[in-house]
Amino acid sequence: MLAAVTPLPPETVPIAAARGRALRRAILAAHDLPPFANSSMDGFAVRSADLDGASAAAPRRLPVVAVIPAGRVALRPLAAGEAMRIMTGAAIPEGADAVVPFEDVERSDPAAAGEQVLIPRPVRAGESLRAAGADLRAGAVALAEGRELSVHDLALLAALGEPRVPVGPRPRAVVFSTGDELLEVDEPLRPGAIRDSNLLLLTQMLEECGAVVARAERLPDDAARVGARVREALAEADVVLTIGGVSAGDFDPVKDSLAGLGAIELWRVAMKPGRPQAFGAPGGRLFFGLPGNPASVACVFEALVRPALRKLQGHAALDRPRIPVRATEAIHSRAGRTDFIRATIERRGDAWWALACGEQISGHLTPQSRAHVLAVVPEEMARVEAGAALEAIVLRWPDAG
Ligand code: AMP
Ligand code: MG
């Protein structure tokens, strides 16, 4: 699937609109950060050499020859035997190499003429100042290509004077659910019918993953209708997804319309939940035919759709972080397929322990609602004993409830 995905051409957006987007070009620092040496305290800029041997018994008295508020610079260098009153963030005057904070000195009345400061200790060169470039050097990589921009990355860009950045565009997605049994959320139940939960689920997961859902529509089990709508959608969207109707039943409209769609194939993926699927990249657009069960939609999205969507946007990291977990109870699996176990996690000592959310029934909704992770039982493993080590895809942390 990933081989069929080519990242969309980047677009340039204001940094205030770039949160969560994939940075498409490395950003180098245009200047030192901080751009100039400045004080980290309110105090007195001094030459450390002037205070060699100073002590409470033998404090040094220095005349205060200037005041430097933040945003201003001293009009002349600091000469030997002098001090300048300086505020946090103000530029260190030439000649000074340290700042002594107000709390450590005795001051004469700052309003009176001939202000003086009495310093009762030596200072280390560099004390209470922030050197130019100490945070980031001019020319250094501030942010690497492919990075998912965090709020802190955006603040860094602001400090570096980068008002706009090239990012991956939001893929346009169209979603269809299929099924004669499906009702609107606000429709009353009738015999044989259930409410459509997957259309909302998939729409929300797509949006959470950076896509714009241009259309989300429910279709009946009518292959001609589904085929026509999918064809139309493929002409306008970057990604088209269907839910259900892709297995071997008598009324599976996605499966039955595939022949007419071109470049889309039925797949049987060695995973549970989520085995029957359809996938293709007709005309450079992506098509995902997801199975209909709620757990299948959730797990196929995590395992396959999400990485593809992230690659489309130019993200370097395609997968969610995984953590090592230990199985609280034995888990039945089968060799030859990857199982995604919806599980909660709990920290015990220095390990995370994963407990399956009840029976892993693909038609159920509550396990996904309760789960913190998808514990991954690899293909070659048939049974997971209690206490066995697994990896888990983190969906959310237990703190979230
Ligand atoms: P299908 O693959 O179409 O046979 O669907 C498999 C199972 O998922 C059936 O029990 C469907 O009723 C159910 N299902 C399909 N689509 C949805 C949906 N959009 N919302 C909730 N359940 C669905
Ligand atoms: Mg169906």
Side-chain angles (χ1 to χ4, degrees):
M1 285 177 175
L2 287 176
V5 181
T6 310
L8 296 168
E11 63 179 1
T12 297
V13 301
I15 51 176
R19 172 159 43 95
R21 310 279 288 266
L23 181 64
R24 293 294 289 271
R25 177 168 46 74
I27 303 291
L28 308 184
H31 54 70
D32 276 347
L33 204 64
F36 51 87
N38 65 94
S39 179
S40 66
M41 300 290 283
D42 296 324
F44 293 92
V46 295
R47 292 171 177 251
S48 57
D50 286 347
L51 298 171
D52 282 348
S55 67
R60 293 293 143 79
R61 181 180 299 274
L62 302 176
V64 179
V65 298
V67 180
I68 320 168
R72 303 272 186 78
V73 292
L75 298 175
R76 66 163 177 87
L78 183 85
E82 292 179 339
M84 289 183 182
R85 184 139 52 88
I86 189 166
M87 304 307 131
T88 305
I92 300 291
E94 214 186 304
D97 65 357
V99 170
V100 192
F102 284 161
E103 337 22 334
D104 292 0
V105 305
E106 211 171 294
R107 303 166 61 185
S108 67
D109 177 3
E115 182 185 352
Q116 295 193 328
V117 60
L118 213 59
I119 302 176
R121 64 171 177 85
V123 295
R124 188 174 37 79
E127 190 177 318
S128 295
L129 65 78
R130 311 183 273 219
D135 195 0
L136 195 64
R137 282 248 165 255
V141 175
L143 297 169
E145 182 183 336
R147 185 181 173 86
E148 179 173 324
L149 291 168
S150 71
V151 292
H152 306 289
D153 295 341
L154 300 178
L156 183 55
L157 291 168
L160 288 171
E162 302 281 351
R164 301 164 71 76
V165 275
V167 296
R170 298 194 179 285
R172 282 171 54 85
V174 171
V175 191
F176 298 110
S177 61
T178 66
D180 289 342
E181 75 279 30
L182 301 176
L183 302 171
E184 287 285 349
V185 177
D186 57 2
E187 272 183 274
L189 286 176
R190 54 177 163 73
I194 58 169
R195 297 194 184 93
D196 183 344
S197 55
N198 283 335
L199 191 61
L200 179 81
L201 170 66
L202 187 54
T203 301
Q204 296 285 318
M205 290 192 297
L206 286 161
E207 287 177 357
E208 207 173 59
C209 191
V212 174
V213 177
R215 192 142 41 84
E217 191 181 329
R218 188 165 38 265
L219 297 174
D221 284 324
D222 172 339
R225 183 89 184 274
V226 169
R229 299 298 278 150
V230 167
R231 238 190 322 275
E232 282 165 30
L234 284 169
E236 62 178 69
D238 302 306
V239 190
V240 178
L241 306 97
T242 58
I243 301 158
V246 78
S247 51
D250 286 348
F251 308 100
D252 277 330
V254 175
K255 176 200 65 184
D256 294 337
S257 61
L258 283 185
L261 290 174
I264 297 174
E265 303 181 309
L266 269 187
W267 287 28
R268 282 148 68 90
V269 182
M271 66 185 284
K272 185 178 188 248
R275 188 165 75 149
Q277 297 180 35
F279 177 76
R285 311 300 172 89
L286 296 179
F287 175 84
F288 293 90
L290 305 188
N293 279 308
S296 307
V297 173
C299 292
V300 172
F301 189 89
E302 283 305 326
L304 302 172
V305 180
R306 196 170 184 279
L309 267 184
R310 286 180 66 86
K311 182 169 179 190
L312 201 56
Q313 294 167 76
H315 285 285
L318 302 184
D319 294 309
R320 284 189 198 264
R322 291 185 177 206
I323 57 167
V325 295
R326 304 188 62 187
T328 304
E329 294 174 357
I331 299 169
H332 295 280
S333 173
R334 214 177 63 197
R337 68 170 191 224
T338 303
D339 283 68
F340 294 90
I341 310 293
R342 282 80 72 208
T344 56
I345 53 171
E346 189 191 10
R347 184 100 191 170
R348 273 191 253 150
D350 49 12
W352 287 103
W353 288 77
L355 180 64
C357 299
E359 277 193 275
Q360 301 288 303
I361 311 265
S362 298
H364 288 183
L365 288 136
T366 51
Q368 288 83 260
S369 166
R370 308 293 184 255
H372 301 128
V373 301
L374 298 177
V376 182
V377 182
E379 243 179 279
E380 61 277 7
M381 251 173 133
R383 183 184 158 82
V384 180
E385 299 301 338
L390 292 175
E391 280 202 326
I393 300 168
V394 180
L395 303 174
R396 64 197 181 113
W397 294 102
D399 295 3

